[in-house]
Amino acid sequence: MRVYYDEVFKGHETVQGHPENPRRLDYAVEGAKEAGARFVAPRARNDVIQLLEAAHRREYIKYVEDLCNLGSLTELDGDTWISPGTCRAALTAISAILDALDSREHSYILARPPGHHAGKSGRALTAPTQGFCIFNTAAIGALYGDGVAVVDIDVHHGNGTQEILYDKDVLYISTHQDPLTLYPGTGFPDEVGIGRGEGYNVNIPMPPGTGDDGFKRVLDEVVMPVLKQYGPKALIVSLGWDAHREDPLANMGLTLNGYRYAIKSLLGLNVPTVFLLEGGYNFQILREGSKMLVMEVEGLGYSPPEERSSSDHRAWSKLSNTLAEVKAVHSRYWRL
Ligand SMILES: [Zn+2]
């Protein structure tokens, strides 16, 4: 497995005490190293700006560039910051995903800033902020690649990715905590895409406390069946470690066992898969999760140092209702 990392990703700075900070990468890199990962430095590419414009409006790109050039740490909104190193980091992340897709190998991109909340003009859909994101690396990769599907298992809905891909026949599946209980407040089952994109946007909101057993149902009953029918030639996984029960920002209740099941299921598709770091704010989980991912991909076998978690009765029955709704809405497009 290739692990893309460069020090420039730490050049994106946020305000003191911010959960999305450069130290996250130190822990993730350490975990990947413990697993014996092969590190690759992303190279600069000439086509990045052109591809950036396929996903974002020119005015927004210019606005971000201007903020990068201010020479000081600047607040873009209540959650999101831009520093002098932000543009270089964000553009290098895009280079990395393009190279990863070209390589046709399984890859893990350890980059910042994250991207899945960044919409065409920055703030996506009805979100109050950009949620730490600048440019949408996953969506840009999806638009660049041939026959790519995006699976987003970050605990937050990838509202930016949805917005950018909404009228495209590029499959986007997002599993996330119930938007009534968590930022960004979108990601309901009836958001299915429009025009050519109708049926290619699949949202599965999960109640807080879903746990590993509930997440397994989501994967087995919706995510994997839809993916198999779509038949992607490559996969981009927006990988946030923030659905873990020890994450400070959410309440999904997963353990690394739940993540491991997802990783193994997705690898079972046997297509080149790019795991792209999005959220995840517990340093130890970033380290251990990254180690687990590399070991799973390399076939080294890894046993998470924690017991599997399960849904409480209330979460389980709520999840059952949601899955029934998702299947009812999407049975027009997929055999579920
Ligand atoms: Zn997140």
Side-chain angles (χ1 to χ4, degrees), residues 94-330:
I94 298 166
S95 291
I97 202 164
L98 303 178
D99 271 2
L101 287 165
D102 283 346
S103 79
R104 311 283 304 159
E105 283 187 46
H106 295 320
S107 310
Y108 185 23
I109 300 180
L110 287 177
R112 301 174 48 257
H116 73 149
H117 298 307
K120 292 175 185 172
S121 296
R123 199 166 52 82
L125 305 179
T126 54
T129 69
Q130 290 183 209
F132 321 158
C133 296
I134 306 297
F135 296 137
N136 198 314
T137 314
I140 292 165
L143 293 173
Y144 170 76
D146 175 31
V148 175
V150 182
V151 178
D152 188 328
I153 59 172
D154 187 282
V155 79
H156 302 94
H157 176 231
N159 55 330
T161 313
Q162 170 170 312
E163 184 185 276
I164 293 166
L165 300 179
Y166 210 57
D167 58 355
K168 314 268 189 315
D169 54 2
V170 176
L171 180 63
Y172 175 64
I173 304 180
S174 178
T175 64
H176 45 265
Q177 186 173 317
D178 181 355
L180 295 175
T181 67
L182 193 67
Y183 173 95
T186 51
F188 295 97
D190 62 354
E191 299 160 24
V192 298
I194 49 168
R196 280 179 62 193
E198 189 180 336
Y200 291 101
N201 195 88
V202 182
N203 284 322
I204 309 144
M206 303 174 288
T210 286
D212 296 331
D213 58 351
F215 191 46
K216 178 177 184 298
R217 275 185 76 188
V218 167
L219 289 157
D220 291 350
E221 295 181 27
V222 180
V223 177
M224 295 313 297
V226 171
L227 274 172
K228 282 175 188 159
Q229 289 165 53
Y230 180 76
K233 293 182 191 161
L235 204 59
I236 294 171
V237 181
S238 271
L239 178 56
W241 296 103
D242 44 8
H244 192 279
R245 63 182 170 187
E246 285 167 33
D247 192 89
L249 298 196
N251 319 88
M252 219 36 251
L254 298 194
T255 72
L256 289 176
N257 294 286
Y259 276 100
R260 182 168 179 240
Y261 187 78
I263 291 163
K264 284 166 88 90
S265 301
L266 296 170
L267 290 173
L269 289 171
N270 277 319
V271 295
T273 302
V274 181
F275 295 89
L276 170 67
L277 181 67
E278 299 277 5
Y281 306 97
N282 177 308
F283 290 148
Q284 300 310 327
I285 300 306
L286 279 162
R287 197 192 71 215
E288 204 60 29
S290 297
K291 178 177 172 182
M292 175 180 78
L293 172 63
V294 174
M295 291 184 76
E296 280 303 333
V297 172
E298 296 294 342
L300 298 172
Y302 171 91
S303 297
E306 51 186 349
E307 291 293 312
R308 208 173 293 276
S309 66
S310 49
S311 306
D312 60 34
H313 177 70
R314 201 159 152 257
W316 186 261
S317 83
K318 207 162 176 225
L319 180 66
S320 300
N321 292 340
T322 306
L323 283 172
E325 187 190 349
V326 171
K327 288 177 196 173
V329 168
H330 275 282

Side-chain angles (χ1 to χ4, degrees), residues 54-95:
H56 297 286
R57 298 215 166 88
R58 271 197 187 152
E59 299 73 26
Y60 172 66
I61 298 168
K62 174 81 169 56
Y63 173 64
V64 170
E65 282 171 354
D66 288 348
L67 291 180
C68 286
N69 291 335
L70 283 181
S72 59
L73 185 61
T74 309
E75 188 177 6
L76 190 152
D77 61 37
D79 286 338
T80 316
W81 294 78
I82 288 193
S83 70
T86 297
C87 285
R88 188 158 172 228
L91 296 177
T92 306
I94 298 166
S95 291

